Coordinates of all heavy atoms in Angstrom, one line a residue:
M1 N 7.6 -13.3 -16.9 CA 7.8 -14.4 -16.0 C 6.4 -15.1 -15.8 O 6.4 -16.3 -15.5 CB 8.3 -13.9 -14.6 CG 9.7 -13.4 -14.7 SD 10.4 -13.0 -13.1 CE 10.7 -14.7 -12.5
A2 N 5.3 -14.3 -16.0 CA 4.1 -14.9 -15.9 C 3.5 -15.7 -17.1 O 2.5 -16.4 -17.1 CB 2.9 -13.9 -15.5
G3 N 4.3 -15.5 -18.2 CA 4.0 -16.1 -19.4 C 2.7 -15.5 -20.2 O 2.3 -16.0 -21.1
V4 N 2.5 -14.2 -20.0 CA 1.5 -13.5 -20.7 C 2.3 -12.5 -21.6 O 3.4 -12.0 -21.2 CB 0.5 -12.7 -19.8 CG1 -0.3 -13.7 -19.0 CG2 1.2 -11.8 -18.8
E5 N 1.7 -12.1 -22.6 CA 2.2 -11.1 -23.5 C 2.1 -9.7 -22.9 O 1.1 -9.4 -22.3 CB 1.5 -11.1 -24.8 CG 2.2 -10.3 -26.0 CD 1.8 -10.7 -27.3 OE1 1.5 -11.8 -27.5 OE2 1.7 -9.7 -28.1
V6 N 3.2 -8.8 -23.0 CA 3.3 -7.6 -22.4 C 2.5 -6.5 -23.5 O 2.9 -6.6 -24.6 CB 4.7 -7.0 -22.2 CG1 4.7 -5.6 -21.6 CG2 5.4 -8.0 -21.3
P7 N 1.5 -5.9 -22.9 CA 0.8 -4.8 -23.7 C 1.9 -3.8 -24.3 O 2.7 -3.5 -23.6 CB -0.3 -4.3 -22.8 CG -0.4 -5.1 -21.8 CD 1.1 -5.8 -21.5
T8 N 1.5 -3.4 -25.5 CA 2.4 -2.4 -26.1 C 2.4 -1.0 -25.3 O 3.3 -0.2 -25.5 CB 2.1 -2.1 -27.6 OG1 0.7 -1.7 -27.7 CG2 2.4 -3.4 -28.4
S9 N 1.3 -0.8 -24.6 CA 1.1 0.4 -23.9 C 2.0 0.5 -22.6 O 2.1 1.5 -21.9 CB -0.3 0.6 -23.5 OG -0.8 -0.4 -22.7
M10 N 2.6 -0.6 -22.1 CA 3.4 -0.8 -21.0 C 4.8 -0.1 -21.3 O 5.3 -0.4 -22.4 CB 3.5 -2.2 -20.5 CG 2.2 -2.7 -20.0 SD 1.6 -2.2 -18.6 CE 2.6 -2.7 -17.5
Q11 N 5.3 0.6 -20.2 CA 6.6 1.1 -20.3 C 7.6 0.2 -19.4 O 7.2 -0.5 -18.6 CB 6.7 2.5 -19.7 CG 5.9 3.5 -20.6 CD 6.1 4.9 -20.0 OE1 6.7 5.1 -19.0 NE2 5.3 5.9 -20.6
G12 N 8.9 0.3 -19.7 CA 9.8 -0.4 -18.8 C 10.4 -1.6 -19.5 O 10.2 -1.8 -20.7
R13 N 11.2 -2.3 -18.7 CA 11.9 -3.5 -19.3 C 11.7 -4.6 -18.3 O 11.5 -4.4 -17.1 CB 13.4 -3.2 -19.5 CG 13.6 -2.1 -20.6 CD 15.1 -1.8 -20.6 NE 15.9 -3.0 -20.9 CZ 17.2 -2.8 -21.0 NH1 17.9 -1.8 -20.8 NH2 18.0 -3.8 -21.1
T14 N 11.8 -5.7 -18.8 CA 11.9 -6.9 -17.9 C 13.0 -7.0 -17.0 O 14.2 -6.6 -17.3 CB 11.8 -8.2 -18.7 OG1 11.7 -9.4 -17.8 CG2 13.0 -8.5 -19.6
L15 N 12.8 -7.4 -15.7 CA 13.8 -7.5 -14.6 C 14.4 -8.9 -14.7 O 15.3 -9.3 -13.9 CB 13.3 -7.2 -13.3 CG 12.9 -5.8 -13.2 CD1 12.2 -5.6 -11.8 CD2 13.9 -4.7 -13.4
T16 N 13.9 -9.8 -15.5 CA 14.4 -11.2 -15.6 C 15.8 -11.3 -15.7 O 16.5 -12.2 -14.8 CB 13.6 -12.0 -16.7 OG1 12.2 -11.8 -16.5 CG2 14.0 -13.4 -16.7
P17 N 16.5 -10.8 -16.5 CA 18.1 -10.8 -16.6 C 18.7 -10.4 -15.2 O 19.6 -11.1 -14.8 CB 18.5 -9.8 -17.6 CG 17.3 -9.6 -18.5 CD 16.1 -9.8 -17.6
L18 N 18.2 -9.4 -14.5 CA 18.8 -9.0 -13.3 C 18.6 -10.2 -12.2 O 19.4 -10.4 -11.4 CB 18.2 -7.8 -12.8 CG 18.4 -6.5 -13.8 CD1 17.8 -5.2 -13.2 CD2 20.0 -6.3 -13.9
L19 N 17.4 -10.7 -12.3 CA 17.0 -11.8 -11.3 C 17.9 -13.0 -11.5 O 18.2 -13.8 -10.7 CB 15.6 -12.1 -11.3 CG 14.6 -11.1 -11.0 CD1 13.2 -11.4 -11.2 CD2 14.8 -10.7 -9.5
A20 N 18.3 -13.2 -12.8 CA 19.2 -14.3 -13.1 C 20.6 -14.0 -12.9 O 21.5 -14.8 -13.2 CB 19.0 -14.7 -14.6
G21 N 20.9 -12.9 -12.4 CA 22.4 -12.5 -12.1 C 23.2 -11.9 -13.2 O 24.4 -11.7 -13.2
E22 N 22.4 -11.6 -14.4 CA 23.0 -11.0 -15.4 C 23.2 -9.5 -15.2 O 22.3 -8.9 -14.5 CB 22.3 -11.4 -16.7 CG 22.2 -12.8 -17.0 CD 21.3 -13.1 -18.2 OE1 21.0 -12.3 -18.9 OE2 20.8 -14.2 -18.3
S23 N 24.0 -8.8 -16.0 CA 24.1 -7.3 -15.9 C 24.2 -6.9 -17.3 O 25.2 -6.8 -17.9 CB 25.5 -7.0 -15.1 OG 25.5 -5.6 -15.1
P24 N 23.0 -6.6 -17.9 CA 22.9 -6.0 -19.2 C 23.7 -4.9 -19.4 O 23.8 -3.9 -18.7 CB 21.4 -5.8 -19.4 CG 20.7 -6.6 -18.4 CD 21.6 -6.7 -17.2
A25 N 24.5 -4.7 -20.5 CA 25.4 -3.7 -20.7 C 24.7 -2.4 -21.0 O 25.1 -1.2 -20.8 CB 26.3 -4.0 -22.0
D26 N 23.5 -2.5 -21.7 CA 22.8 -1.2 -22.0 C 21.7 -0.8 -20.9 O 20.8 -0.1 -21.1 CB 22.0 -1.4 -23.3 CG 21.0 -2.5 -23.3 OD1 21.0 -3.3 -22.3 OD2 20.1 -2.5 -24.2
W27 N 21.9 -1.3 -19.6 CA 21.0 -1.0 -18.6 C 21.3 0.4 -18.1 O 22.5 0.7 -17.8 CB 21.1 -2.1 -17.4 CG 19.9 -2.1 -16.5 CD1 19.8 -1.6 -15.3 CD2 18.6 -2.8 -16.7 NE1 18.6 -1.7 -14.7 CE2 17.8 -2.5 -15.6 CE3 18.2 -3.5 -17.8 CZ2 16.6 -3.0 -15.5 CZ3 16.8 -4.0 -17.6 CH2 16.1 -3.8 -16.5
R28 N 20.2 1.1 -17.7 CA 20.5 2.5 -17.3 C 21.0 2.4 -15.9 O 20.6 1.6 -15.1 CB 19.3 3.4 -17.4 CG 18.1 3.0 -16.6 CD 16.9 3.9 -16.8 NE 15.8 3.5 -15.9 CZ 14.6 3.9 -16.0 NH1 14.4 4.8 -16.8 NH2 13.8 3.6 -15.1
T29 N 21.7 3.5 -15.5 CA 22.3 3.6 -14.1 C 21.7 4.7 -13.3 O 22.1 5.0 -12.2 CB 23.7 3.7 -14.2 OG1 24.2 5.0 -14.9 CG2 24.5 2.6 -14.8
D30 N 20.7 5.5 -13.8 CA 20.1 6.5 -13.0 C 18.5 6.5 -13.3 O 18.1 5.9 -14.2 CB 20.7 7.9 -13.4 CG 20.7 8.2 -14.9 OD1 19.7 7.8 -15.6 OD2 21.7 8.8 -15.3
F31 N 17.8 7.0 -12.3 CA 16.4 7.1 -12.5 C 15.8 8.2 -11.8 O 16.3 8.9 -10.9 CB 15.8 5.7 -12.1 CG 15.8 5.4 -10.6 CD1 14.9 5.9 -9.7 CD2 17.0 4.7 -10.2 CE1 15.1 5.6 -8.4 CE2 17.1 4.5 -8.8 CZ 16.1 4.8 -7.9
F32 N 14.6 8.6 -12.3 CA 13.8 9.7 -11.6 C 12.7 9.0 -10.7 O 12.2 7.9 -11.1 CB 13.2 10.5 -12.7 CG 12.2 11.5 -12.1 CD1 12.7 12.6 -11.6 CD2 10.8 11.3 -12.3 CE1 11.7 13.6 -11.1 CE2 9.9 12.3 -11.8 CZ 10.4 13.4 -11.3
V33 N 12.4 9.6 -9.6 CA 11.4 9.0 -8.7 C 10.6 10.2 -8.2 O 11.1 11.3 -8.0 CB 12.1 8.3 -7.6 CG1 12.9 9.3 -6.6 CG2 11.0 7.6 -6.7
E34 N 9.3 9.8 -8.1 CA 8.5 10.8 -7.4 C 7.4 10.0 -6.6 O 6.8 9.1 -7.0 CB 7.7 11.8 -8.4 CG 6.9 11.1 -9.5 CD 6.4 12.2 -10.5 OE1 6.5 13.4 -10.2 OE2 5.8 11.7 -11.5
H35 N 7.1 10.7 -5.5 CA 6.1 10.2 -4.5 C 5.0 11.2 -4.5 O 5.3 12.2 -3.8 CB 6.6 9.7 -3.2 CG 5.7 9.3 -2.2 ND1 5.0 8.1 -2.3 CD2 5.1 9.9 -1.1 CE1 4.2 8.0 -1.3 NE2 4.2 9.1 -0.5
L36 N 3.8 11.1 -4.9 CA 2.9 12.0 -5.0 C 1.6 11.7 -4.2 O 0.6 12.5 -4.2 CB 2.4 12.4 -6.5 CG 3.7 12.9 -7.4 CD1 3.2 13.1 -8.8 CD2 4.3 14.1 -6.7
F37 N 1.6 10.5 -3.6 CA 0.4 10.1 -2.9 C 0.3 10.7 -1.4 O 1.4 11.0 -0.8 CB 0.4 8.5 -2.7 CG 0.4 7.9 -4.0 CD1 1.6 7.3 -4.5 CD2 -0.7 7.8 -4.8 CE1 1.6 6.6 -5.8 CE2 -0.7 7.2 -6.0 CZ 0.5 6.6 -6.4
E38 N -0.9 10.9 -1.0 CA -1.1 11.3 0.4 C -0.8 10.1 1.4 O -1.3 9.1 1.2 CB -2.5 11.8 0.5 CG -3.0 13.0 -0.2 CD -2.3 14.3 0.2 OE1 -1.8 14.4 1.4 OE2 -2.2 15.1 -0.6
H39 N 0.1 10.4 2.2 CA 0.5 9.4 3.2 C 1.0 10.0 4.4 O 1.8 11.0 4.5 CB 1.7 8.5 2.7 CG 1.9 7.2 3.5 ND1 2.5 7.3 4.6 CD2 1.6 6.0 3.2 CE1 2.7 6.1 5.2 NE2 2.1 5.2 4.4
P40 N 0.4 9.6 5.6 CA 0.9 10.3 6.9 C 2.2 10.3 7.3 O 2.8 11.1 8.0 CB -0.1 9.7 7.9 CG -0.5 8.4 7.3 CD -0.5 8.5 5.8
E41 N 3.0 9.3 6.8 CA 4.5 9.1 7.2 C 5.4 9.4 6.1 O 6.7 9.4 6.4 CB 4.7 7.7 7.8 CG 3.8 7.5 9.1 CD 3.9 6.2 9.6 OE1 4.9 5.5 9.4 OE2 3.0 5.7 10.3
I42 N 5.0 9.5 4.8 CA 5.9 9.7 3.7 C 5.6 11.1 3.1 O 4.6 11.1 2.4 CB 5.9 8.5 2.8 CG1 6.1 7.1 3.4 CG2 6.8 8.7 1.6 CD1 5.8 6.0 2.5
P43 N 6.4 12.0 3.2 CA 6.1 13.3 2.6 C 6.2 13.2 1.0 O 7.1 12.3 0.5 CB 7.2 14.2 3.2 CG 8.2 13.4 3.6 CD 7.6 12.1 4.0
K44 N 5.5 14.0 0.3 CA 5.5 14.0 -1.1 C 7.0 14.6 -1.5 O 7.5 15.4 -0.9 CB 4.5 14.9 -1.7 CG 3.1 14.4 -1.5 CD 2.2 15.3 -2.2 CE 0.7 14.8 -1.9 NZ -0.3 15.7 -2.6
H45 N 7.6 13.9 -2.5 CA 8.9 14.2 -3.1 C 9.1 13.8 -4.5 O 8.5 13.1 -4.9 CB 10.0 13.7 -2.0 CG 10.0 12.2 -2.1 ND1 9.2 11.4 -1.3 CD2 10.9 11.4 -2.7 CE1 9.6 10.2 -1.4 NE2 10.5 10.0 -2.3
E46 N 10.3 14.3 -4.9 CA 10.7 13.9 -6.3 C 12.3 14.0 -6.2 O 12.8 14.6 -5.3 CB 10.4 14.9 -7.4 CG 10.7 16.3 -7.2 CD 9.9 17.4 -8.0 OE1 9.0 16.9 -8.7 OE2 10.3 18.5 -7.9
G47 N 12.9 13.2 -7.0 CA 14.3 13.1 -7.0 C 14.8 12.3 -8.1 O 14.2 11.8 -8.9
V48 N 16.2 12.3 -8.1 CA 17.0 11.5 -9.1 C 18.1 10.7 -8.4 O 18.6 11.2 -7.5 CB 17.5 12.4 -10.3 CG1 18.5 13.4 -9.7 CG2 18.1 11.5 -11.4
R49 N 18.5 9.6 -8.9 CA 19.6 8.8 -8.4 C 20.4 8.3 -9.4 O 19.8 7.7 -10.4 CB 19.0 7.6 -7.4 CG 20.2 6.9 -6.7 CD 19.6 5.6 -6.1 NE 20.5 5.1 -5.2 CZ 21.7 4.5 -5.5 NH1 22.1 4.4 -6.8 NH2 22.5 3.9 -4.6
G50 N 21.6 8.5 -9.3 CA 22.6 7.9 -10.3 C 23.6 7.1 -9.5 O 23.5 6.8 -8.4
E51 N 24.6 6.7 -10.2 CA 25.8 5.9 -9.6 C 26.5 6.7 -8.5 O 27.0 6.2 -7.7 CB 26.7 5.4 -10.7 CG 26.1 4.4 -11.6 CD 27.1 3.8 -12.5 OE1 27.8 2.9 -12.1 OE2 27.3 4.3 -13.6
W52 N 26.6 8.0 -8.8 CA 27.5 9.0 -7.9 C 26.7 9.7 -7.0 O 27.0 9.9 -5.9 CB 28.2 9.9 -8.7 CG 29.5 9.2 -9.3 CD1 29.6 8.5 -10.5 CD2 30.8 9.2 -8.7 NE1 30.9 8.1 -10.7 CE2 31.6 8.4 -9.6 CE3 31.3 9.5 -7.5 CZ2 32.9 8.1 -9.3 CZ3 32.7 9.3 -7.1 CH2 33.4 8.6 -8.0
Y53 N 25.4 10.2 -7.3 CA 24.7 11.0 -6.4 C 23.2 10.7 -6.3 O 22.7 10.0 -7.2 CB 24.8 12.5 -7.0 CG 26.1 13.1 -6.9 CD1 27.0 13.1 -8.0 CD2 26.5 13.7 -5.6 CE1 28.3 13.6 -7.9 CE2 27.9 14.1 -5.6 CZ 28.6 14.1 -6.8 OH 30.0 14.7 -6.5
K54 N 22.6 11.2 -5.2 CA 21.2 10.9 -4.9 C 20.7 12.3 -4.5 O 21.3 12.9 -3.6 CB 20.9 9.9 -3.8 CG 19.5 9.7 -3.4 CD 19.4 8.7 -2.4 CE 18.1 8.7 -1.7 NZ 18.2 7.7 -0.6
Y55 N 19.7 12.8 -5.2 CA 19.0 14.0 -4.8 C 17.6 13.8 -4.7 O 16.9 13.1 -5.4 CB 19.2 15.0 -6.1 CG 18.5 16.4 -5.8 CD1 18.9 17.3 -4.9 CD2 17.3 16.6 -6.5 CE1 18.2 18.5 -4.7 CE2 16.6 17.8 -6.3 CZ 17.0 18.7 -5.4 OH 16.4 19.7 -5.3
A56 N 17.0 14.5 -3.6 CA 15.6 14.5 -3.3 C 15.2 15.8 -2.9 O 15.9 16.6 -2.2 CB 15.2 13.5 -2.2
R57 N 14.0 16.2 -3.4 CA 13.4 17.5 -3.0 C 11.8 17.2 -2.5 O 11.0 16.7 -3.2 CB 13.2 18.3 -4.3 CG 12.7 19.6 -4.2 CD 12.7 20.4 -5.5 NE 12.0 21.6 -5.5 CZ 10.7 21.8 -5.9 NH1 10.1 20.8 -6.4 NH2 10.3 23.0 -5.8
Y58 N 11.8 17.6 -1.2 CA 10.4 17.5 -0.6 C 9.6 18.8 -0.7 O 9.9 19.7 0.1 CB 10.6 17.1 0.9 CG 11.4 15.8 1.0 CD1 12.8 15.8 1.0 CD2 10.6 14.7 1.2 CE1 13.5 14.6 1.1 CE2 11.3 13.4 1.2 CZ 12.8 13.5 1.3 OH 13.3 12.2 1.5
F59 N 8.9 18.9 -1.8 CA 8.3 20.1 -2.2 C 7.1 20.7 -1.4 O 6.9 21.9 -1.5 CB 8.0 20.2 -3.6 CG 7.1 18.9 -4.0 CD1 5.8 19.0 -4.0 CD2 7.7 17.8 -4.5 CE1 5.0 17.9 -4.4 CE2 6.9 16.7 -4.9 CZ 5.5 16.8 -4.8
E60 N 6.5 20.0 -0.6 CA 5.4 20.4 0.3 C 5.9 20.8 1.7 O 5.0 21.3 2.4 CB 4.3 19.5 0.4 CG 3.6 19.4 -1.0 CD 2.2 18.7 -0.9 OE1 2.1 17.8 0.1 OE2 1.4 18.7 -1.7
Q61 N 7.2 20.7 1.9 CA 7.6 21.1 3.3 C 7.8 22.6 3.3 O 8.1 23.2 2.5 CB 9.0 20.4 3.5 CG 9.0 18.9 3.4 CD 8.3 18.2 4.4 OE1 8.4 18.4 5.6 NE2 7.3 17.4 4.0
E62 N 7.6 23.1 4.5 CA 7.9 24.6 4.9 C 8.9 24.6 5.9 O 8.6 24.3 7.0 CB 6.6 25.2 5.3 CG 5.7 25.7 4.1 CD 6.3 26.7 3.3 OE1 7.0 27.5 3.7 OE2 6.1 26.6 2.0
P63 N 10.1 25.1 5.6 CA 10.5 25.5 4.2 C 10.8 24.3 3.4 O 11.0 23.2 4.0 CB 11.9 26.2 4.6 CG 12.4 25.7 5.7 CD 11.2 25.3 6.7
L64 N 11.1 24.4 2.1 CA 11.3 23.3 1.2 C 12.5 22.7 1.8 O 13.4 23.3 2.2 CB 11.6 24.0 -0.2 CG 11.9 22.9 -1.2 CD1 10.8 23.1 -2.4 CD2 13.1 23.2 -1.7
Y65 N 12.5 21.3 1.7 CA 13.7 20.6 2.1 C 14.3 19.8 1.0 O 13.6 19.1 0.2 CB 13.2 19.6 3.2 CG 14.4 18.9 3.9 CD1 15.2 19.5 4.6 CD2 14.6 17.6 3.7 CE1 16.3 18.8 5.3 CE2 15.7 16.9 4.2 CZ 16.5 17.6 5.1 OH 17.5 16.8 5.7
E66 N 15.7 19.8 0.9 CA 16.3 19.0 -0.1 C 17.5 18.1 0.5 O 18.0 18.5 1.6 CB 17.0 20.0 -1.1 CG 16.1 20.9 -1.8 CD 16.7 21.9 -2.7 OE1 17.4 22.9 -2.2 OE2 16.7 21.7 -3.9
E67 N 17.7 17.1 -0.1 CA 18.8 16.1 0.2 C 19.7 15.8 -1.0 O 19.2 15.7 -2.1 CB 18.3 14.9 0.7 CG 17.6 14.9 2.1 CD 17.0 13.6 2.5 OE1 16.3 13.0 1.7 OE2 17.3 13.3 3.6
L68 N 21.0 15.9 -0.8 CA 21.9 15.6 -1.8 C 23.0 14.7 -1.2 O 23.6 15.2 -0.3 CB 22.5 16.8 -2.6 CG 23.6 16.6 -3.5 CD1 23.1 15.8 -4.8 CD2 24.2 17.9 -4.0
Y69 N 23.2 13.6 -1.7 CA 24.3 12.7 -1.1 C 25.3 12.3 -2.2 O 24.9 11.9 -3.3 CB 23.7 11.5 -0.5 CG 22.8 11.8 0.7 CD1 21.5 11.8 0.6 CD2 23.3 12.2 2.0 CE1 20.7 12.2 1.5 CE2 22.5 12.6 2.9 CZ 21.2 12.5 2.8 OH 20.4 12.9 3.8
D70 N 26.6 12.2 -1.9 CA 27.6 11.8 -2.6 C 27.8 10.2 -2.4 O 28.3 9.9 -1.3 CB 28.9 12.4 -2.4 CG 30.1 11.8 -3.1 OD1 30.1 10.7 -3.6 OD2 31.2 12.5 -3.2
L71 N 27.2 9.3 -3.1 CA 27.1 7.8 -2.8 C 28.4 7.2 -2.8 O 28.5 6.1 -2.2 CB 26.0 7.2 -3.8 CG 24.6 7.8 -3.6 CD1 23.7 7.2 -4.8 CD2 24.0 7.5 -2.3
Q72 N 29.3 7.7 -3.5 CA 30.7 7.0 -3.6 C 31.5 7.4 -2.3 O 32.2 6.4 -1.8 CB 31.5 7.6 -4.8 CG 30.8 7.4 -6.1 CD 30.7 5.8 -6.4 OE1 31.6 5.0 -6.3 NE2 29.5 5.4 -6.8
N73 N 31.5 8.5 -1.8 CA 32.2 8.9 -0.6 C 31.3 8.8 0.7 O 31.9 8.8 1.8 CB 32.7 10.3 -0.7 CG 33.8 10.4 -1.8 OD1 34.7 9.6 -1.9 ND2 33.6 11.2 -2.9
D74 N 30.0 8.7 0.6 CA 29.1 8.7 1.8 C 28.0 7.6 1.4 O 26.9 8.0 1.3 CB 28.7 10.1 2.0 CG 27.7 10.1 3.2 OD1 27.8 9.3 4.0 OD2 26.9 11.2 3.2
P75 N 28.2 6.4 1.3 CA 27.3 5.4 0.9 C 26.2 5.3 2.0 O 25.1 4.7 1.6 CB 28.1 4.1 0.7 CG 29.4 4.4 1.6 CD 29.6 5.7 1.5
L76 N 26.4 5.6 3.2 CA 25.5 5.5 4.3 C 24.5 6.8 4.4 O 23.7 6.9 5.2 CB 26.1 5.3 5.6 CG 26.9 4.0 5.7 CD1 27.5 3.8 7.1 CD2 25.9 2.8 5.4
E77 N 24.8 7.8 3.5 CA 24.1 9.1 3.5 C 24.0 9.7 4.7 O 22.9 10.1 5.2 CB 22.6 8.8 2.9 CG 22.6 8.1 1.5 CD 21.3 7.7 1.0 OE1 20.3 8.2 1.6 OE2 21.3 7.0 0.0
M78 N 25.2 10.0 5.3 CA 25.3 10.7 6.6 C 25.4 12.1 6.5 O 25.3 12.9 7.3 CB 26.5 10.0 7.4 CG 26.4 8.6 7.7 SD 25.0 8.1 8.6 CE 25.5 8.7 10.2
R79 N 26.0 12.7 5.3 CA 26.2 14.1 5.2 C 25.4 14.6 3.9 O 25.8 14.2 2.9 CB 27.7 14.2 4.8 CG 28.2 15.8 4.7 CD 29.7 15.9 4.8 NE 29.9 17.3 4.7 CZ 30.6 17.8 3.6 NH1 31.1 17.1 2.6 NH2 30.8 19.2 3.5
N80 N 24.5 15.4 4.3 CA 23.6 16.0 3.4 C 24.3 17.2 2.7 O 24.6 18.3 3.4 CB 22.3 16.5 3.9 CG 21.3 17.1 3.0 OD1 21.6 17.2 1.8 ND2 20.1 17.4 3.5
L81 N 24.7 17.2 1.4 CA 25.4 18.3 0.8 C 24.5 19.4 0.3 O 25.0 20.4 -0.1 CB 26.1 17.8 -0.4 CG 27.2 16.6 0.0 CD1 27.6 15.9 -1.4 CD2 28.3 17.1 0.7
A82 N 23.2 19.2 0.4 CA 22.2 20.3 -0.1 C 22.4 21.4 1.0 O 22.2 22.6 0.7 CB 20.9 19.8 -0.2

């Protein structure tokens, strides 16, 4: 979008089709996330989110804390299945 060439060392894909309202057929529907930075209000965690489920693991909590949500039947994430 900025008109510069993307370095070959960069990972990922352009979001331009999504911003234009397109829905690419080969777009992935799940992703891995991790938050590893020191922050007073956001605990470190890792997780995965797909079309059906969302899972998060807060690995520095004592005791370890996990969340698992069925996004199809509980889109507001009110019932933790973990």
